[in-house]
Amino acid sequence: MAEAKKAAPKRKTTAKTTAKRKPVARKATAARKTAAKKTVSLQGRVTEASRSAFLASLGFYGMAFDQVQGQIKTVETELNARRKKADKLYADMVKRGQKVEKQAKTAIDDIDLPKLEVAALDLAKLEAQLEKARARFAELKGSVGFKAAA
């Protein structure tokens, strides 16, 4: 009967072999899980990479848009400044024209122009008035700053 008790340890061995089979089954399941994780991980990385590429291109277009907007604002500012400068220059030219007109009227008013009568035509007197007018216009031309007669 003592030998019958030794048979009981054989059951433990059977239990051990069963235990050995379970880890093998677990390894197969673990390999499947690892393969599934690799597939999911690869899909995730591909999806993330494509999304990052899309966002990078979107960011590029956003930067380009911002730069164009900045350039438009700069050009607009310069254009407004030039308009103001042109308006001021125009106003200055109008004032200068009024001054020249006043000087010209004064120069012309100083010249005595007699009524031209064919019978009483004195060439010497007419020549003296013409020289006086030429001198006044030369003076006016010099004050205005013209280099040549218009």
Side-chain angles (χ1 to χ4, degrees):
M1 292 200 168
E3 289 178 21
K5 287 184 183 179
K6 287 185 181 178
K10 284 185 181 180
R11 282 187 186 165
K12 288 182 183 175
T13 313
T14 308
K16 286 182 181 176
T17 31
T18 308
K20 285 182 183 177
R21 287 183 189 166
K22 285 183 182 177
V24 172
R26 286 182 187 162
K27 285 183 183 177
T29 306
R32 285 183 197 151
K33 286 182 181 178
T34 305
K37 283 182 183 178
K38 285 182 182 177
T39 305
V40 171
S41 176
L42 181 61
Q43 284 177 338
R45 288 195 328 234
V46 168
T47 303
E48 185 62 31
S50 63
R51 186 170 188 280
S52 294
F54 170 73
L55 291 175
S57 63
L58 191 61
F60 170 78
Y61 288 119
M63 267 181 39
F65 180 79
D66 290 343
Q67 286 179 351
V68 168
Q69 289 294 336
Q71 290 174 352
I72 287 172
K73 285 181 182 178
T74 302
V75 168
E76 198 174 61
T77 303
E78 288 177 11
L79 184 62
N80 288 336
R82 288 183 182 186
R83 280 186 185 146
K84 287 179 183 178
K85 188 176 180 180
D87 289 343
K88 184 179 181 223
L89 183 62
Y90 181 76
D92 289 344
M93 291 295 184
V94 169
K95 286 179 184 177
R96 178 73 173 149
Q98 290 171 343
K99 185 177 177 182
V100 169
E101 179 186 34
K102 187 176 180 181
Q103 288 175 347
K105 283 182 179 180
T106 303
I108 290 173
D109 287 341
D110 287 348
I111 299 172
D112 291 328
L113 294 175
K115 294 181 182 179
L116 292 175
E117 295 177 11
V118 178
L121 193 60
D122 185 14
L123 290 179
K125 194 174 182 183
L126 186 61
E127 191 66 35
Q129 288 178 346
L130 186 59
E131 284 301 317
K132 185 178 178 183
R134 284 184 185 151
R136 292 283 185 160
F137 281 117
E139 181 182 316
L140 180 63
K141 186 172 78 172
S143 69
V144 172
F146 288 139
K147 302 245 188 248

